[in-house]
Amino acid sequence: MAYAEKVYKVRNGKPTKQFTWRCRYKKPDGTWGSEPGFPTKKTAEEWGEAQEAAIRSGAWTDPELLRTPFGQWAREWMAAKAPRGNTASTRWDRLEAHILPRWEHTPLQAITWFDAEQWANGLKCEDTIATQCLSIMSSILTGAVDKKLIPANPLHGRRRSRTAEAKERQAEREQDKLWAPPEVVLQMARAAGPLDGMHILTVAFTGLRWGESLAVSSASLTQRLERDFTCPALAVRQEVAEYRRRGPGGEKLGMVVALEPVKTRESKRTIDLPPFLSNLLTPYAENCRLDFLFMTRSGEHWRRGNFSRQVMRRHADGRKAVTRTRGRAARDAVPPIMRGLTMRALRHTHDTYQEQIGVKPSLAFEQAGHKRPGIKAVYQHPTPEMRRERLDGLEGIFQDAMRSLGWSEIWPRS
């Protein structure tokens, strides 16, 4: 049975007349635990009795474990997990940049939803990153519950309420989301040339993610054989991930650009190719001597930032003329085609085209590699006729754009 004992304060190495109460209680293994700092004998005994009652019911958590610093447990949790390399890298980036500077030394039991939400709303970063930080913290705290460090996760199932300022920033970003008219896509493809231009054209009319597009090879070109329906297709099974490799303790071990399986079951898909794209990709793949279709001139995987700077920004944003000076050649001005356009915006473009031509949701979700929510995902399935309508619609968008531009081919033969 729990009991209380006096603990006299010490000053200059000598006990004083001032004292507090310490509780002594029987732990599950039969040893005696203690908890100091109570102002009265009664509060110490009540606390001890509550501990023993929790032990008898099987709901007890060791107070010493409750005081585990969040940073200590976060590192242990990260070392025990083995997600895809890019996922681990992102988690460490969020921990080091945002989470640990605030929560490193906070005891697990002291973390509350109120404090965490207020902290997230005050972060000076993208709103999605702030939400992601809360999600990572919640996963780590759920692991602490599983390890019996805390009885419950205070962040589990909670929905973040954004401040007015955060909502305004989010609204501004929503307005900045781009999609490209088909004429712009064709102009970008021509300006970038047959190599990088084919990359741009393929992403805009298939909706490939950046990493998925880098993993496209000749072997990716296939055929869909479905009852009485056949069409050229593109198999998506892997992607090229770019991330900073980390050690078990989060130490930085250098950048990695490597193949990985696609992240989700929905991402593993076969994309139906409209006739114009198949007619362009097939000879392109036959003439490609590299391991993958969309690589740098030296045969390496593109880095996202390099492709953006050397290809997308150069043609989408244009550039000013440069006069000839000592050590620098003259350079003509390049007019902008569509400022701010990115490869991610071209993925948005594909799904926007699907909506424009009325692609049925069951097929639109499948082709984009998205998980469709709700019971309709179980009961509705793409049919051959849906596939024909989608291909006819995308082909029509391409042909209309070619006529609008007055072009007979994207890359005129010199």
Side-chain angles (χ1 to χ4, degrees):
M1 180 176 177
Y3 66 91
E5 58 185 16
K6 289 181 180 179
V7 179
Y8 286 91
K9 296 182 179 181
V10 176
R11 184 176 301 142
N12 298 325
K14 297 180 180 180
T16 66
K17 294 182 179 180
Q18 296 178 327
F19 61 89
T20 57
W21 292 89
R22 175 170 58 200
C23 173
R24 300 281 286 172
Y25 63 98
K26 189 68 72 70
K27 297 172 71 173
D29 60 2
T31 61
W32 286 93
S34 67
E35 185 74 12
F38 295 95
T40 66
K41 179 179 180 180
K42 182 176 177 60
T43 55
E45 290 176 341
E46 289 176 345
W47 186 89
E49 290 168 359
Q51 299 306 302
E52 292 182 344
I55 291 170
R56 289 192 295 272
S57 67
W60 181 73
T61 302
D62 191 333
E64 287 298 321
L65 299 180
L66 290 170
R67 289 189 281 268
T68 302
F70 176 85
Q72 175 184 323
W73 167 244
R75 290 183 173 84
E76 182 179 341
W77 184 85
M78 287 292 294
K81 297 296 178 181
R84 291 160 25 111
N86 198 32
T87 301
S89 177
T90 299
R91 286 175 178 173
W92 275 117
D93 288 345
R94 302 294 179 260
L95 280 165
E96 290 182 345
H98 303 292
I99 300 174
L100 293 181
R102 166 61 178 85
W103 303 100
E104 170 88 36
H105 304 293
T106 304
L108 292 175
Q109 66 176 350
I111 297 175
T112 67
W113 170 250
F114 179 84
D115 291 338
E117 184 184 43
Q118 292 297 104
W119 161 76
N121 286 337
L123 288 175
K124 304 300 182 183
C125 63
E126 290 275 347
D127 192 63
T128 53
I129 292 178
T131 300
Q132 190 178 48
C133 287
L134 283 177
S135 177
I136 293 171
M137 282 187 66
S138 182
S139 297
I140 293 172
L141 291 175
T142 295
V145 174
D146 296 338
K147 191 72 179 293
K148 297 190 181 301
L149 302 181
I150 52 176
N153 176 4
L155 275 56
H156 177 71
R158 303 301 297 267
R159 189 169 183 174
R160 179 181 164 214
S161 300
R162 290 162 176 79
T163 62
E165 181 182 355
K167 290 179 180 178
E168 185 176 346
R169 290 198 303 267
Q170 181 70 12
E172 291 174 355
R173 281 190 291 274
E174 292 289 338
Q175 294 175 356
D176 291 340
K177 287 183 179 177
L178 294 176
W179 67 277
E183 292 82 3
V184 168
V185 173
L186 298 184
Q187 289 173 324
M188 284 289 296
R190 173 175 283 192
L195 299 180
D196 298 325
M198 182 61 73
H199 193 176
I200 290 171
L201 191 68
T202 300
V203 170
F205 280 90
T206 62
L208 288 171
R209 298 177 177 90
W210 169 251
E212 294 170 348
S213 72
L214 297 184
V216 173
S217 65
S218 298
S220 303
L221 299 178
T222 183
Q223 289 280 322
R224 181 181 293 280
L225 304 174
E226 187 175 306
R227 298 181 184 176
D228 61 340
F229 177 75
T230 303
C231 78
L234 188 67
V236 181
R237 301 292 182 268
Q238 57 188 2
E239 65 181 9
V240 174
E242 176 184 336
Y243 58 91
R244 186 182 299 279
R245 192 161 60 93
R246 300 277 192 155
E251 57 274 16
K252 297 177 180 179
L253 302 177
M255 292 298 297
V256 173
V257 180
L259 280 174
E260 288 186 352
V262 290
K263 186 173 184 179
T264 65
R265 183 178 63 181
E266 292 75 25
S267 297
K268 187 177 180 180
R269 63 199 187 279
T270 301
I271 303 174
D272 304 331
L273 298 178
F276 83 87
L277 188 55
S278 174
N279 293 337
L280 291 170
L281 267 177
T282 300
Y284 178 89
E286 291 173 351
N287 294 324
C288 183
R289 297 294 178 262
L290 302 173
D291 295 333
F292 300 91
L293 300 190
F294 307 127
M295 306 186 80
T296 65
R297 305 300 182 271
S298 59
E300 298 177 349
H301 287 302
W302 274 105
R303 300 286 295 273
R304 184 192 293 267
N306 291 344
F307 189 88
S308 174
R309 182 175 58 258
Q310 297 176 29
V311 180
M312 298 302 293
R313 301 281 57 79
R314 176 182 177 185
H315 301 294
D317 299 346
R319 67 184 183 190
K320 297 179 180 179
V322 175
T323 57
R324 183 178 180 277
T325 60
R326 184 182 179 90
R328 185 178 67 182
R331 188 177 68 190
D332 294 334
V334 176
I337 297 175
M338 184 175 181
R339 296 185 187 279
L341 187 64
T342 63
M343 292 296 276
R344 181 175 178 82
L346 291 179
R347 173 166 161 80
H348 291 193
T349 294
H350 166 257
D351 218 23
T352 301
Y353 291 169
Q354 290 198 127
E355 181 72 12
Q356 175 183 322
I357 60 180
V359 177
K360 301 298 187 292
S362 58
L363 180 57
F365 276 85
E366 175 208 270
Q367 295 289 281
H370 290 150
K371 181 178 181 180
R372 188 182 181 190
I375 193 63
K376 295 301 182 184
V378 178
Y379 283 91
Q380 295 181 351
H381 311 281
T383 65
E385 190 55 41
M386 291 180 193
R387 298 189 185 279
R388 291 191 188 95
E389 290 177 357
R390 174 182 173 276
L391 295 180
D392 290 344
L394 292 177
E395 183 73 17
I397 287 176
F398 171 78
Q399 297 298 346
D400 289 346
M402 291 289 286
R403 284 191 292 270
S404 175
L405 294 170
W407 294 358
S408 60
E409 51 189 355
I410 301 177
W411 300 285
R413 295 178 177 84
S414 58

